[in-house]
Amino acid sequence: MNKHKMITEKGNSRMLMLFGQLEKLNRESMLVDPEIARQITAKILHLIQTQEKTRKEIVSKGSSGMEVILATLENTQDLQSILNILYILNELLTVGGGRRIGVFVSKGGTGILLQLVISASKESPPSEEVMLQLHSVLAKVGPKDRKFGVKARLNGALNVTVNLLKQNLQNYKLLLPCLLVLQVYSSNTVNAVSLGKNGVVELMFKIIGPYSKKNTSLLKVSLDTLGALLKSKTNAQRAVVHVPVLLYIYQDWHRNDTRHRHILIRKGILGCLKNITNIKLGRKAFIDADGMRILYNTSTECLPVRTLDPLINTSSLIMRKCFPKNRLPLPTIKSVFHHQLLRVPAGGPVAQLYNQPLGRGPIYQFYTKPPWVDDVVDESDNNEDAEAENDMENEVEEKDHHAGNDDIETDINKLRPKETHSRPFEELKIYERFFMELSEDFQVFNFDNPKKGVTATPAAPKSHRPIIVPTTQALPPKNPTECPHPAPVPALDLDTINITKDQDGCGDHTHSRPHPGAGLEQELVQGLERVALDGAGPQVGGGGGNKHKRQPPILAGGVAARLGGEGEEMLAEDWAEEEESSEEGVLHVPDTALLLPLHDPDLYVEMVKSTSSVPQFSEVAYPDYFGHVAPTSREHILERVYGVQRTKIFQDIERLIHPNDILDKVVYDLDIQSCPVVDGGESLKFNSQFESGNLRKAVQVRKFEYDLVLNSDINSNHYHQWFYFEVSGMRVGAPYRFNIINCEKSNSQFNYGMQVLMYSVQEAISGRPRWVRTGTDICYYKNHFSRSSIAAGGQKGKSYYTMTFSMTFNHKDDVCYFAYHYPYTYSTLKMHLQKLEALRTPQTYLREDVLCETLGGNSCPLLTITAMPESTSNDQICQFRNRPLVFLSSRVHPGETNASWVMKGTLEFLMGSSPLAHSLREAYIFKIVPMLNPDGVVNGNHRCSLSGEDLNRQWQNPSPELHPTIYHTKSLLQYLAAIQRAPLVFCDYHGHSRKKNVFMYGCSLKETVWETNISATSCELHEDLGYRTLPKILSQMAPAFSMASCSFVVERSKEATARVVVWREIGVQRSYTMESTLCGCDQGKYKGLQIGTRELEEMGAQFCVALLRLKRLTSPLKLRNNAHLLDVDSDLMETRCKVSSTPSTYLLEDEEASFMEEVDYSAESGDEPDNDPNTADPHDNHLSDSESNNHRDSLT
């Protein structure tokens, strides 16, 4: 050991001596004795080759060794000395990683080497060994020097390397380092174009070739270099003629590389094809050369070998990119339905829609357009090169990294509350009628006998005449189109339906029950019978000139229309016999009264009759009629199957390769509603003509595969996300695949374990009426259907996305419903409100007013909930009137149905009889608008109202004609501010499609400024941190709530939302948006579980409990000492799990399972943001950590 130490110390001292001698020679003229320099550099080289510590010493901090070596290289003219130094540099930079190269670059080494390249090229002939060593060092240095390409171009070394390459095509020893340097040169776009003009692209095709066991390293580098060159559009155009050659070479390597030792070479060939196909000419050449079939076949053969996944991924990407862009199978991207507006906005997308003439059909009002207008695919979209799309996406993606700062409000004045009210108090006085509790004296109420006075005015006084904004109803059809098919069977009046809920399933009807041995078909027919006629059916109104009268609803899923598949004749015969022998049919409704105290099928039907819809729905969906009982079992977030997205994409590609296998059969189409599709029983049957339904078209692609197209929001040409439709006529055990092909968002929780919802009528009849998470092989990806720039906000070259899932049905001829999330209709809300009023106790003050009428003629309910005063004493009345207000709203976006389930939990808790609920009612007066967008909910919209606009972007200046619910809700808040009674808390319930958990968005001046570069004084940033109190309480109490996901930053894009406007204009510090996930949770007790109605309702109840905790924290000291309030507060944290009416669900704290595969959302690498500025949400693009780790550029 000591001997080794002595040798090392001796070596170090010798190295120092040699560097000293070399430095002395640099100061003197080296021409005097070049032999000395040769000897010194040779000795240094020997020490470096034999002693690792010597190499470290040269590049260590404080050492001047590198400067001495570079100075010698720059000054010497001796060939051998130059070679010795180049050998030294190669030894030094080969090991040690980027740090040593960084030292070399920082000392100016790159410039010295490039200058030496120029000097050496002037020799005649140039020294091959010097060029070899120079390019070897440059190949190591280039990737670490960001300005390497610019330095080489300005220096002139670019052309030297190219000429050297041309002159030494057979000299593989020199060719390899030159290609490595050329690859680094090509990373600079200007260099790549210059090299292309110099013939380097053609030169590369002279080097690469078919399968060979020789010079594989050289071939790999050549392909990488060519791939770098082809990133330039100009170079890609030069290489278009070589596409067949590349495909032939790839096939040859695929056939001969049977042991898969040269995957990198095969991947390099695909990389070249990928870059060429970024341009339109390249894609055409690829198709003409039968590239789709070649890559499909080779990829299919690679599927069994996991190590070949990189080849499959790249091949898939190329094929998707080259797949010819198709138009959606629609006559227009506008909604099938239209609602005539009283006043059309002066500008914007709605105004554009009204620029085209309007036609009318026999049942609905349809858009019609001149024959020369095609809004599905406009010509400009087809002329866009993929490279332009990539560049645009990359720019937007780059922008997204700074989106947080770009969208944050930087105007301090806009971050401060307004000091003056925008409306005079005289205008707001009409809203006093909605605040009777603030002036109520309760003199007519009998406090001694509250039961006797339960129906008196204080209990539940009905509203005065609502504030109504006049609206135009749908106009009658003038020119009904003739239909070659028979007219549809008229709807039947629900007043004639008899419903039984007896346990034996029998009613007063003439036909007998099936005996226990009867077949499944007969049992299902028995269960689905639902129509009873007291007499002849209603007469069909005739005459096209008469005003169309809305038909009363019937239950969707008619039996006669659902009988198909095996046993069809027998079922149809049985049905006919029963029709003849019975005067009334009976629907056996599962008795769920004990499980669903707020659901009543009879009452629901009555509510449907008073609901107005643009399509004038005449049917009721079974799930809404039967009701939903939350399942007792846990529904875990779905674990993604490896390769599922890749498999689905390959199946899509097969459509182009094997077109004869494609049926392309339309089985459902709302655009030709007056002419129903006739089918022979080999296809599924679809329906969406019921409240909140959304499915526009269904196309049978293969025997068990269907493409589904969603309808746009009314008076809009986009917003496709919410779906709710019925399926029947299925076969048991058949592997059905459903593809929703016109999704718009570039990201979805369907890629992260979320499943669709399904409701089986047969299961409901069997005593299990519930929505369940279902579907396998679920994924979400960009497809080949081109999205018109008209619908993409002017952006060209965009594509739609496909959400696909597979399904196997368990019951023959069942009637099943599928939905994006748990449906909650407007009629359901009205039913629940009536049931809640029936449950009111004498101690509860409940009043339901009609705030206004919507554009579609539906009422917008406003609830007031608080506790009755204990007596009519002045103190009690004063305390009653001066309770702080809490203002809650929900469902401004129709597709966010989870918001309604949270609101349901809130309402049930508030109306409950528990001590917590009673204390909460005594603490606050609640003003609640449970559904801000009834029209959107009724008509199956995803985001808009009938005005075609996002109502949550209209709060700054709402129109009473176009946005009545927002206008009058804001007016209520303005009235409260005017009388100095602004709410303590305002919260708008929403749903979030791209994040997990439940969380809040709030408003904070400080936190907004901290995220920007605004310079502000401390006095300008003075702010009470009370806005964080409620979210913090929720994070401690509600298992689904995540404080880490909350944000209190004010963004420019959200300045017209309820949260920001109420904060800024009304002055409510605690103004929130509460977002509930559509998927599930990745933290807390529910980690790894998909969220259900039980958890959503629990969240609504927990919000109430949190408000009670907030009351204690914000009350004066004398109120804090109230005995019952203190008792309640001490129990809050302990009773937080008892709020739910069902047992808690427990889960081990495991991390979210990562995907076995990498996920790509688009045909190109990288995700793209939403295009619509109205829907863009900077929070939407942020995935959880576990999800972002699984988001890769490649696809499996």
Side-chain angles (χ1 to χ4, degrees):
M1 186 71 180
N2 292 334
K3 183 177 181 182
H4 175 75
K5 185 176 180 181
M6 291 174 61
I7 293 173
T8 303
E9 291 176 353
K10 184 177 181 181
N12 290 343
S13 61
R14 189 177 180 189
M15 179 64 73
L16 292 174
M17 181 187 70
L18 292 173
F19 276 127
Q21 293 175 357
L22 198 59
E23 189 175 10
K24 183 178 179 182
L25 286 176
N26 289 336
R27 289 196 297 266
E28 301 173 358
S29 174
M30 298 195 64
L31 297 175
V32 176
D33 194 355
E35 184 62 30
I36 299 176
R38 295 175 196 163
Q39 293 176 0
I40 295 174
T41 53
K43 291 176 181 178
I44 294 174
L45 176 61
H46 175 73
L47 287 173
I48 288 175
Q49 289 174 335
T50 57
Q51 297 181 16
E52 169 61 26
K53 190 170 183 180
T54 303
R55 292 196 290 266
K56 294 180 180 179
E57 287 290 335
I58 294 176
V59 294
S60 62
K61 188 175 181 181
S63 172
S64 60
M66 186 63 75
E67 289 95 326
V68 174
I69 292 173
L70 291 175
T72 305
L73 183 63
E74 189 174 21
N75 295 328
T76 185
Q77 301 296 322
D78 180 60
L79 180 61
Q80 189 58 49
S81 297
I82 291 174
L83 284 173
N84 287 342
I85 296 175
L86 290 175
Y87 293 145
I88 292 170
L89 291 174
N90 260 316
E91 290 287 341
L92 285 174
L93 303 180
T94 298
V95 295
R99 195 185 68 82
R100 292 186 183 182
I101 296 175
V103 173
F104 176 84
V105 172
S106 67
K107 305 296 184 183
T110 305
I112 294 172
L113 289 180
L114 292 173
Q115 187 58 47
L116 189 57
V117 169
I118 299 296
S119 303
S121 67
K122 295 177 181 178
E123 300 289 333
S124 185
S127 170
E128 179 180 321
E129 184 65 19
V130 170
M131 285 298 188
L132 175 64
Q133 296 301 322
L134 267 174
H135 282 81
S136 296
V137 178
L138 285 172
K140 296 181 177 70
V141 173
K144 302 294 182 180
D145 189 345
R146 294 182 179 178
K147 298 183 179 180
F148 183 76
V150 177
K151 292 175 183 177
R153 184 173 68 252
L154 297 178
N155 181 273
L158 212 62
N159 294 328
V160 173
T161 303
V162 173
N163 292 331
L164 192 65
L165 199 66
K166 292 179 178 179
Q167 296 166 9
N168 294 273
L169 286 177
Q170 303 303 319
N171 186 347
Y172 297 134
K173 184 179 179 181
L174 181 58
L175 205 57
L176 184 60
C178 288
L179 286 171
L180 287 169
V181 174
L182 205 61
Q183 182 181 344
V184 184
Y185 288 161
S186 304
S187 61
N188 180 281
T189 306
V190 179
N191 287 353
V193 174
S194 176
L195 291 170
K197 292 179 180 178
N198 212 349
V200 177
V201 173
E202 290 75 11
L203 193 64
M204 291 297 101
F205 281 99
K206 294 180 181 180
I207 301 174
I208 64 175
Y211 176 79
S212 173
K213 294 183 179 180
K214 299 180 180 179
N215 303 313
T216 54
S217 298
L218 179 66
L219 183 56
K220 195 268 178 190
V221 174
S222 301
L223 289 167
D224 291 344
T225 304
L226 178 60
L229 287 166
L230 294 178
K231 289 180 180 178
S232 161
K233 181 178 178 180
T234 307
N235 290 340
Q237 290 173 340
R238 293 190 176 95
V240 165
V241 295
H242 298 289
V243 168
V245 176
L246 286 171
L247 287 170
Y248 169 77
I249 293 174
Y250 182 73
Q251 275 185 297
D252 190 57
W253 278 90
H254 173 77
R255 282 193 300 263
N256 292 287
D257 185 25
T258 55
R259 303 183 68 177
H260 311 306
R261 292 181 173 178
H262 304 294
I263 295 177
L264 293 178
I265 291 178
R266 294 156 69 179
K267 186 178 179 181
I269 300 171
L270 290 175
C272 295
L273 285 169
K274 173 179 164 237
N275 291 336
I276 294 175
T277 53
N278 277 339
I279 63 172
K280 188 176 181 180
L281 288 175
R283 296 193 291 275
K284 183 178 184 302
F286 180 83
I287 294 293
D288 293 343
D290 202 21
M292 294 291 286
R293 187 180 302 274
I294 291 172
L295 290 194
Y296 176 80
N297 291 337
T298 55
S299 298
T300 304
E301 294 172 7
C302 292
L303 284 175
V305 185
R306 288 283 292 270
T307 55
L308 299 182
D309 278 355
L311 304 182
I312 301 171
N313 298 341
T314 310
S315 297
S316 172
L317 191 149
I318 295 170
M319 287 187 286
R320 292 171 65 190
K321 187 164 40 177
C322 295
F323 200 112
K325 290 291 183 182
N326 291 351
R327 56 177 289 148
L328 283 175
L330 297 174
T332 173
I333 55 176
K334 303 182 186 76
S335 173
V336 176
F337 311 120
H338 170 72
H339 180 80
Q340 185 67 37
L341 298 178
L342 251 181
R343 182 174 70 83
V344 180
V350 180
Q352 294 175 8
L353 292 177
Y354 272 80
N355 289 335
Q356 296 184 3
L358 181 68
R360 298 178 179 91
I363 298 180
Y364 312 125
Q365 294 191 41
F366 291 93
Y367 281 112
T368 60
K369 53 186 177 4
W372 62 86
V373 176
D374 184 1
D375 63 354
V376 181
V377 176
D378 47 7
E379 185 179 349
S380 60
D381 294 342
N382 296 327
N383 295 329
E384 289 300 307
D385 281 335
E387 182 178 79
E389 179 181 351
N390 286 341
D391 291 343
M392 180 171 57
E393 288 183 357
N394 290 336
E395 288 175 6
V396 181
E397 187 177 353
E398 186 97 7
K399 197 174 179 183
D400 262 0
H401 291 302
H402 307 91
N405 287 331
D406 291 343
D407 190 40
I408 293 177
E409 182 59 70
T410 56
D411 187 346
I412 290 286
N413 294 324
K414 290 185 177 181
L415 293 174
R416 291 199 183 93
K418 285 186 176 180
E419 296 182 359
T420 58
H421 299 297
S422 56
R423 296 176 64 185
F425 184 68
E426 287 71 19
E427 287 185 17
L428 298 172
K429 285 188 69 176
I430 60 173
Y431 294 95
E432 184 179 4
R433 72 179 73 169
F434 296 108
F435 297 95
M436 295 168 54
E437 66 279 359
L438 301 184
S439 58
E440 183 64 66
D441 57 11
F442 296 96
Q443 295 301 319
V444 297
F445 187 74
N446 187 349
F447 284 92
D448 296 330
N449 188 2
K451 291 185 179 181
K452 183 177 178 181
V454 73
T455 58
T457 303
K462 293 297 181 182
S463 165
H464 294 277
R465 183 169 55 87
I467 300 173
I468 298 175
V469 177
T471 59
T472 303
Q473 299 299 323
L475 299 176
K478 292 182 180 178
N479 300 310
T481 57
E482 295 183 0
C483 175
H485 301 295
V489 178
L492 300 177
D493 195 334
L494 267 182
D495 292 335
T496 65
I497 295 179
N498 291 341
I499 301 172
T500 66
K501 298 182 184 178
D502 48 359
Q503 296 301 319
D504 61 359
C506 256
D508 294 331
H509 47 90
T510 57
H511 62 273
S512 60
R513 291 183 65 200
H515 56 81
L520 175 62
E521 295 87 353
Q522 182 66 24
E523 292 182 13
L524 184 56
V525 170
Q526 178 82 15
L528 291 181
E529 293 179 273
R530 75 217 188 291
V531 179
L533 303 180
D534 292 335
Q539 298 297 320
V540 181
N546 295 333
K547 186 174 180 179
H548 183 79
K549 183 178 179 180
R550 182 165 57 91
Q551 296 285 351
I554 64 171
L555 286 176
V559 176
R562 299 298 179 262
L563 302 179
E566 300 177 5
E568 178 181 354
E569 294 181 1
M570 179 192 70
L571 284 173
E573 185 179 351
D574 291 344
W575 175 254
E577 290 177 359
E578 292 179 272
E579 282 289 298
E580 293 175 0
S581 62
S582 174
E583 293 184 357
E584 52 180 340
V586 178
L587 171 66
H588 298 281
V589 181
D591 191 358
T592 57
L594 295 178
L595 296 173
L596 294 174
L598 296 187
H599 189 85
D600 183 341
D602 297 331
L603 180 58
Y604 182 80
V605 168
E606 293 303 316
M607 296 300 101
V608 171
K609 291 179 180 179
S610 61
T611 297
S612 300
S613 62
V614 173
Q616 299 174 344
F617 294 130
S618 59
E619 299 177 348
V620 176
Y622 277 109
D624 304 322
Y625 182 73
F626 284 156
H628 161 72
V629 179
T632 55
S633 59
R634 295 174 295 184
E635 296 181 299
H636 291 270
I637 290 176
L638 186 67
E639 184 176 350
R640 190 183 182 91
V641 178
Y642 181 82
V644 59
Q645 181 169 310
R646 179 177 62 199
T647 302
K648 298 295 184 181
I649 291 170
F650 274 34
Q651 290 175 4
D652 292 347
I653 293 170
E654 286 175 3
R655 300 187 188 190
L656 183 67
I657 298 174
H658 304 296
N660 294 332
D661 297 340
I662 304 305
L663 300 177
D664 201 23
K665 174 183 176 183
V666 178
V667 297
Y668 181 73
D669 193 349
L670 282 182
D671 287 284
I672 54 172
Q673 180 60 33
S674 58
C675 305
V677 177
V678 179
D679 180 69
E682 292 298 319
S683 307
L684 291 176
K685 300 175 182 63
F686 294 84
N687 183 29
S688 62
Q689 298 177 73
F690 45 79
E691 187 173 348
S692 295
N694 190 321
L695 178 66
R696 180 171 185 170
K697 190 171 187 176
V699 181
Q700 187 176 13
V701 181
R702 298 182 178 95
K703 185 175 182 180
F704 298 117
E705 182 178 355
Y706 295 82
D707 280 354
L708 309 178
V709 183
L710 303 181
N711 192 25
S712 303
D713 285 4
I714 292 178
N715 276 340
S716 171
N717 56 19
H718 59 306
Y719 299 115
H720 309 108
Q721 187 167 339
W722 166 256
F723 58 86
Y724 183 17
F725 58 88
E726 171 197 302
V727 176
S728 60
M730 64 283 293
R731 294 187 181 182
V732 176
Y736 288 97
R737 176 185 172 185
F738 299 97
N739 313 307
I740 298 176
I741 61 174
N742 62 333
C743 300
E744 294 172 340
K745 285 182 176 289
S746 58
N747 193 355
S748 172
Q749 283 292 322
F750 282 118
N751 266 329
Y752 296 103
M754 187 169 84
Q755 294 176 281
V756 298
L757 275 302
M758 188 192 77
Y759 193 106
S760 165
V761 173
Q762 171 121 355
E763 289 289 314
I765 293 173
S766 301
R768 295 177 292 277
R770 59 177 59 111
W771 286 96
V772 294
R773 299 276 188 174
T774 190
T776 58
D777 297 343
I778 301 175
C779 54
Y780 188 95
Y781 55 88
K782 182 184 284 188
N783 60 33
H784 57 276
F785 290 102
S786 182
R787 189 179 177 194
S788 168
S789 62
I790 298 172
Q795 298 188 50
K796 301 175 182 178
K798 294 296 178 183
S799 296
Y800 285 103
Y801 288 78
T802 291
M803 192 287 286
T804 180
F805 65 96
S806 297
M807 184 69 208
T808 301
F809 296 98
N810 298 324
H811 304 293
K812 182 181 179 182
D813 293 320
D814 196 0
V815 178
C816 295
Y817 291 78
F818 291 97
Y820 179 67
H821 199 67
Y822 300 93
Y824 191 101
T825 66
Y826 172 63
S827 298
T828 299
L829 172 68
K830 293 192 293 182
M831 176 188 67
H832 283 165
L833 293 184
Q834 282 209 17
K835 298 289 284 185
L836 281 173
E837 184 173 351
L839 295 177
R840 179 188 52 80
T841 63
Q843 291 76 32
T844 303
Y845 183 100
L846 168 66
R847 190 178 73 251
E848 179 181 344
D849 298 316
V850 176
L851 176 62
C852 64
E853 192 173 89
T854 65
L855 297 183
N858 293 300
S859 298
C860 179
L862 168 67
L863 303 180
T864 304
I865 302 176
T866 187
M868 293 288 291
E870 295 180 4
S871 67
T872 57
S873 66
N874 289 336
D875 290 344
Q876 287 293 328
I877 297 298
C878 182
Q879 190 275 341
F880 175 86
R881 294 177 179 177
N882 288 286
R883 292 170 185 168
L885 281 93
V886 172
F887 204 109
L888 305 178
S889 61
S890 178
R891 205 68 184 281
V892 70
H893 294 146
E896 296 169 5
T897 58
N898 48 354
S900 281
W901 288 100
V902 176
M903 179 59 75
K904 180 175 181 285
T906 294
L907 292 174
E908 286 189 40
F909 183 89
L910 282 175
M911 295 300 297
S913 57
S914 69
L916 288 175
H918 181 70
S919 298
L920 186 63
R921 291 192 296 267
E922 286 187 330
Y924 297 105
I925 296 174
F926 285 87
K927 287 291 182 180
I928 302 175
V929 184
M931 192 170 284
L932 280 167
N933 192 351
D935 289 343
V937 172
V938 169
N939 293 287
N941 285 5
H942 171 64
R943 197 169 184 89
C944 299
S945 68
L946 293 187
S947 70
E949 298 168 295
D950 182 349
L951 291 183
N952 203 35
R953 298 297 186 276
Q954 311 303 326
W955 279 78
Q956 274 187 326
N957 188 28
S959 163
E961 294 87 8
L962 294 176
H963 326 113
T965 60
I966 303 302
Y967 178 84
H968 294 300
T969 302
K970 183 178 180 181
S971 297
L972 293 177
L973 291 161
Q974 289 174 323
Y975 173 79
L976 288 173
I979 63 172
Q980 306 298 314
R981 293 294 303 273
L984 177 70
V985 173
F986 172 86
C987 190
D988 190 20
Y989 293 179
H990 280 255
H992 206 290
S993 66
R994 297 204 252 185
K995 293 181 74 172
K996 289 185 169 68
N997 309 313
V998 181
F999 51 94
M1000 277 182 162
Y1001 294 138
C1003 302
S1004 166
L1005 170 63
K1006 274 187 178 181
E1007 296 194 34
T1008 303
V1009 170
W1010 288 342
E1011 293 291 330
T1012 64
N1013 296 322
I1014 301 176
S1015 57
T1017 61
S1018 57
C1019 61
E1020 289 180 310
L1021 298 182
H1022 178 70
E1023 183 177 47
D1024 184 359
L1025 296 179
Y1027 63 89
R1028 276 185 165 267
T1029 308
L1030 185 58
K1032 187 66 176 176
I1033 295 172
L1034 282 170
S1035 69
Q1036 297 170 353
M1037 301 177 61
F1041 195 88
S1042 170
M1043 187 69 185
S1045 300
C1046 295
S1047 173
F1048 305 94
V1049 174
V1050 180
E1051 307 93 345
R1052 292 192 186 100
S1053 62
K1054 302 299 180 64
E1055 64 180 3
T1057 61
R1059 163 176 62 99
V1060 177
V1061 170
V1062 172
W1063 172 71
R1064 182 167 179 257
E1065 296 186 20
I1066 310 301
V1068 178
Q1069 181 195 34
R1070 296 177 178 85
S1071 179
Y1072 307 103
T1073 297
M1074 187 164 74
E1075 302 273 1
S1076 300
T1077 180
L1078 291 164
C1079 177
C1081 299
D1082 59 9
Q1083 53 87 45
K1085 185 175 69 174
Y1086 299 138
K1087 182 178 180 180
L1089 296 180
Q1090 296 186 76
I1091 202 160
T1093 56
R1094 179 190 298 109
E1095 291 76 28
L1096 292 170
E1097 291 183 51
E1098 177 192 68
M1099 187 65 235
Q1102 294 285 12
F1103 183 82
C1104 294
V1105 180
L1107 287 173
L1108 195 53
R1109 170 72 171 169
L1110 177 70
K1111 172 66 177 177
R1112 179 182 181 274
L1113 296 175
T1114 57
S1115 296
L1117 182 60
K1118 63 178 181 179
L1119 199 57
R1120 293 191 190 184
N1121 292 330
N1122 230 328
H1124 74 277
L1125 223 85
L1126 285 177
D1127 293 338
V1128 168
D1129 182 70
S1130 63
D1131 294 336
L1132 283 178
M1133 305 308 292
E1134 298 167 5
T1135 59
R1136 64 187 182 90
C1137 293
K1138 299 179 182 178
V1139 176
S1140 176
S1141 60
T1142 55
S1144 300
T1145 306
Y1146 297 96
L1147 182 70
L1148 295 178
E1149 298 289 331
D1150 297 330
E1151 294 184 0
E1152 180 183 36
S1154 59
F1155 296 159
M1156 298 173 64
E1157 59 176 322
E1158 298 168 340
V1159 178
D1160 179 30
Y1161 290 107
S1162 63
E1164 288 69 45
S1165 61
D1167 192 12
E1168 67 179 11
D1170 283 5
N1171 302 326
D1172 193 337
N1174 291 335
T1175 61
D1177 189 337
H1179 302 285
D1180 277 355
N1181 293 325
H1182 298 168
L1183 305 176
S1184 66
D1185 294 340
S1186 58
E1187 291 166 355
S1188 59
N1189 291 336
N1190 294 312
H1191 185 192
R1192 305 287 188 270
D1193 291 340
S1194 59
L1195 167 71
T1196 48

